[in-house]
Amino acid sequence: MTAPSLGSGFVFNGSRFDGVLFDCDGVLVDSERITSRVWARLLTERGLPTTTEQSLATYLGNSMARCLEIVTEQLGHAPPDDLLPTFYADVKVALEQEVEPVTGIHDVLDALDAAQVPYGVASNGEHEKMRTTLGATGLLARFDGRRFSAVDVAHPKPAADLFLHAAAQLGMEPARTIVVEDSPLGVLGAHRAGMTVIGYAELVSPERLLAAGAVHTVSHLHELLRYVTARA
């Protein structure tokens, strides 16, 4: 991908920007409820009764390493060794069978392509998970060479590391990068990176996303088009 020159970009609220970074789960692909359901079932089977709603509330936006830390804290001991491999196997099958693109994302990406606005994905999820979900929703090729995972950096969201890494790889200045996030942890990480965050308020309230550092929220991805397609 050719990095944009400093004279290029698009205008948002009167300021010039280089490009857009999207979270993956919950923003590009409608995967959060699926993964939370599988995670809740496995935790319940291993002695930590958990509903899908509790799983969403507790683990949404966290890296898998942090999820395991939370489970250890709640159990009072390390979870069984088979938890993680069983989760990866079961969730892969569930995602391949059930995951759908978030409504409106294909239209948003088409508009960004037409306006020549660069974009990428920065996810706390592993690369294999992104290949599964983006592949199943017809989005994989659109992010070829533009997929960045928390495993690529020292610290996952809510640290700024992943966002700064993705922006550097794509030639975007952090202060000239827009991020679309659906979790408070992701919003906080992008805010710490000095980026402008738009919160997608589908699973989390607008108030929580704004409190974490989002400058605007949208309830449907089509609303993004008024922010990110005006060329300068």
Side-chain angles (χ1 to χ4, degrees):
M1 177 179 178
T2 302
S5 68
L6 292 180
S8 68
F10 60 96
V11 170
F12 167 64
N13 274 8
S15 298
R16 193 184 301 271
F17 285 82
D18 293 336
V20 183
L21 293 175
F22 294 92
D23 181 35
C24 187
D25 295 299
V27 174
L28 299 179
V29 296
D30 192 6
S31 57
E32 296 287 15
R33 292 180 182 85
I34 300 170
T35 56
S36 293
R37 185 191 73 223
V38 174
W39 188 241
R41 173 177 60 80
L42 293 177
L43 293 181
T44 299
E45 291 173 353
R46 284 153 181 79
L48 185 60
T50 306
T51 66
T52 298
E53 292 72 24
Q54 289 169 334
S55 180
L56 280 166
T58 304
Y59 302 100
L60 178 68
N62 279 293
S63 67
M64 185 50 64
R66 177 57 187 149
C67 288
L68 289 177
E69 289 177 354
I70 295 171
V71 171
T72 299
E73 292 165 3
Q74 294 188 341
L75 283 173
H77 56 79
D81 291 341
D82 73 333
L83 175 61
L84 206 52
T86 303
F87 172 72
Y88 284 141
D90 289 4
V91 82
K92 180 177 175 64
V93 172
L95 289 169
E96 288 174 340
Q97 294 176 346
E98 302 176 42
V99 72
E100 299 286 345
V102 170
T103 301
I105 190 58
H106 282 287
D107 293 337
V108 169
L109 297 181
D110 285 345
L112 294 179
D113 287 337
Q116 298 182 312
V117 175
Y119 56 83
V121 55
S123 173
N124 260 355
E126 297 80 5
H127 283 286
E128 180 61 28
K129 184 181 179 185
M130 280 194 279
R131 284 190 289 269
T132 296
T133 57
L134 296 176
T137 54
L139 293 167
L140 187 63
R142 305 191 79 148
F143 290 91
D144 186 34
R146 297 184 282 185
R147 299 190 300 271
F148 306 96
S149 165
V151 302
D152 302 330
V153 296
H155 303 102
K157 306 173 191 178
D161 300 32
L162 178 57
F163 294 107
L164 295 174
H165 171 68
Q169 294 300 306
L170 296 177
M172 301 175 185
E173 293 286 343
R176 291 159 50 109
T177 300
I178 284 180
V179 175
V180 184
E181 270 283 356
D182 70 324
S183 75
L185 291 177
V187 170
L188 180 58
H191 180 68
R192 287 172 170 171
M195 299 176 179
T196 297
V197 194
I198 299 175
Y200 175 45
E202 203 273 324
L203 288 173
V204 176
S205 70
E207 292 76 17
R208 287 186 63 197
L209 298 175
L210 291 169
V215 297
H216 293 281
T217 64
V218 298
S219 58
H220 193 289
L221 289 188
H222 280 115
E223 298 172 56
L224 293 174
L225 297 178
R226 70 173 179 261
Y227 295 125
V228 297
T229 60
R231 293 290 291 177

